[in-house]
Amino acid sequence: MKKKTIIIILAVLSISSRAQYVTETVNGASVLPTNGSLLFVRDCPTTPFSLSYVAEDRTFYAFTKAVYTMGLPYTTFPIKKITLTADVVEVNDIYAVDSIAFFCGKDTTGTSFIGSFNVLRVGEINYPNANDIRVTPITQVSSLNKIKVFKTGGSYTVYAIGLSFDPNDNLVKNAIVEFPNAQNSSSYRFVRLGFALPFYAEVVDDIVFTQRNVVIIERDNYNYPPNGYIAMRKVGKTTGLASTDLNTLHYYPMNFEYNSKICAASLGGEDFAIAYAAYTTTTPNPFPVRVRTFNTQSMSAAHSYEYNTYEKIDMHGLIYNSGSAILTVLHQKSPTSTFVYINPTATSNYSARSLYDAATEYTSLDAISANQFIATSSKKWFMQENTSVSIKSCLMQDWYPVSLIFQIFPHNTSTANIPLNQYMTTLYSRLPTISNVNSQADCHKTQ
């Protein structure tokens, strides 16, 4: 296959001057739009608030978490809100660390951006201003669909994934953005993934952080079923995308492995988990869901589980609650959705508890304390103790028999045995040169 040269760019961009926002502290009944739908739910860990977004009025809503346990109707929720200006047309994801909320989206010019603000300061007199809310254009990336953040010392590093048009060969490719020191800098790196089947992933689904590493979760042969291979790559947090480890692909060449997007969650230390709907090679029923845990040292599965849903599902999310040591898998359960509680270290078969609402489909969740999580759909919020036998809500209970299954082992590929692009260049010598893979991006929007 013909080799193409792809360039990683360090963009030094000024902070956008459009940081003109309206904020207030109000009750929900006076601000929630009649036809608005809530997107996302994110815990702001060091604050009393969880955060959602309503696209119809371009507004973030910060809800006091205490009301989830008090059983108050949403119309009486104490709310803080921050309304974006009309030039912001998309917010595709939110992620909060401490009291800082980071978000990614697109403006009316089609330019992607990464923004942030301090939830605790919303509602203060003269807040916000250009120094309080940062919006940095990411001009080389056509869309950003997922954002993750980790903190080192007093600095926040943002990772985001999306799509980028490559003018060198007129292809739309997957892109990964690394934005170090996001609160105090406007410099970032980005990398495009190219095309060389069957060795490189076509779709980038998720990013997960361990104590020392950044793991990028990918899918290969997305457009060439039924292969469905899983792929991952990891880089150190300190080196990031500048690491040559980016070229080592941990490749899981098992046919019929995935049949949905892949969700990932950190388990603490160097452990993480992934969950996805799997193919079945024997019969249309059942439709298995697989959950696998990994350690970054070997990148081989430590534990692997499977349960059957008896329907083709859409995967919505995965979180780990460290207080109860439970993984919560959120996925479709026609006609709505279900939360399934998985023990990530189980060594024998067991039955996993699940909760679902017959009337509402939940599409977002986040851990909120040692024993609880929150979820949102339309205008409905919810908190549930995930370890208690009693159900303190209107949700119904079900059970899934969970089986231990075979472990999945990677075939590692690197610059030593796979044709790669030439080493990419950077616009600034203070960044190390990075080499890149040559695999085709999937042109479909990542779910």
Side-chain angles (χ1 to χ4, degrees), residues 25-27 43 47-52 61-74 76-80 119 368 374 381 383:
T25 303
V26 290
N27 289 325
D43 179 36
T47 79
F49 299 104
S50 64
L51 195 66
S52 293
Y61 291 90
F63 296 89
T64 303
K65 289 178 283 191
V67 300
Y68 291 106
T69 56
M70 294 166 58
L72 298 176
Y74 75 83
T76 63
F77 280 11
I79 294 176
K80 290 186 175 186
V119 175
I368 196 172
I374 49 181
W381 298 265
M383 174 181 277

Side-chain angles (χ1 to χ4, degrees), residues 27-244:
N27 289 325
S30 66
V31 297
L32 289 172
T34 302
N35 299 317
S37 297
L38 284 162
L39 302 175
F40 325 115
V41 62
R42 301 290 185 261
D43 179 36
C44 301
T46 63
T47 79
F49 299 104
S50 64
L51 195 66
S52 293
Y53 178 73
V54 174
E56 284 77 6
D57 61 357
R58 303 182 309 282
T59 298
F60 291 102
Y61 291 90
F63 296 89
T64 303
K65 289 178 283 191
V67 300
Y68 291 106
T69 56
M70 294 166 58
L72 298 176
Y74 75 83
T75 52
T76 63
F77 280 11
I79 294 176
K80 290 186 175 186
K81 76 170 189 175
I82 177 167
T83 300
L84 304 177
T85 51
D87 60 343
V88 175
V89 295
E90 289 182 12
V91 171
N92 294 325
D93 198 13
I94 316 168
Y95 195 91
V97 178
D98 298 334
S99 63
I100 310 299
F102 296 86
F103 59 101
C104 61
K106 187 179 294 187
D107 65 17
T108 52
T109 69
T111 302
S112 296
F113 64 81
I114 292 174
S116 64
F117 60 91
N118 190 327
V119 175
L120 290 180
R121 297 201 59 192
V122 173
E124 291 182 4
I125 297 175
N126 298 323
Y127 178 90
N129 59 50
N131 294 321
D132 295 314
I133 298 185
R134 300 177 62 89
V135 178
T136 301
I138 312 295
T139 56
Q140 295 82 5
V141 179
S142 54
S143 65
L144 291 172
N145 306 311
K146 183 178 284 288
I147 189 170
K148 292 286 185 71
V149 187
F150 68 85
K151 183 181 179 182
T152 303
S155 176
Y156 301 91
T157 296
V158 176
Y159 274 78
I161 54 178
L163 299 175
S164 175
F165 176 77
D166 189 347
N168 294 320
D169 50 21
N170 296 321
L171 292 176
V172 177
K173 301 176 179 178
N174 287 278
I176 306 170
V177 175
E178 178 192 31
F179 192 177
N181 195 21
Q183 285 292 96
N184 301 299
S185 173
S186 56
S187 301
Y188 60 87
R189 299 184 183 99
F190 88 101
V191 63
R192 296 188 185 104
L193 300 181
F195 186 47
L197 289 175
F199 300 110
Y200 293 112
E202 297 178 77
V203 180
V204 179
D205 268 339
D206 210 345
I207 293 174
V208 63
F209 302 130
T210 65
Q211 185 174 5
R212 297 188 298 269
N213 291 289
V214 178
V215 183
I216 300 160
I217 311 297
E218 309 171 9
R219 284 179 282 156
D220 194 18
N221 280 0
Y222 175 74
N223 287 316
Y224 298 87
N227 302 105
Y229 304 150
I230 292 175
M232 303 179 199
R233 65 189 82 228
K234 66 174 181 178
V235 295
K237 283 183 174 179
T238 56
T239 53
L241 295 183
S243 173
T244 55

Side-chain angles (χ1 to χ4, degrees), residues 7-26:
I7 298 176
I8 289 184
I9 300 176
L10 168 70
V12 181
L13 300 171
S14 62
I15 299 172
S16 172
S17 62
R18 61 171 180 260
Q20 302 168 7
Y21 300 81
V22 178
T23 65
E24 55 185 304
T25 303
V26 290

Side-chain angles (χ1 to χ4, degrees), residues 300-332:
S300 296
H303 300 87
S304 293
Y305 312 97
E306 182 176 278
Y307 62 89
N308 296 317
T309 64
Y310 297 96
E311 64 177 315
K312 173 67 174 69
I313 67 164
D314 182 24
M315 192 69 64
H316 294 322
L318 177 70
I319 60 168
Y320 178 65
N321 193 309
S322 59
S324 55
I326 291 292
L327 275 167
T328 303
V329 185
L330 175 60
H331 61 70
Q332 181 181 359

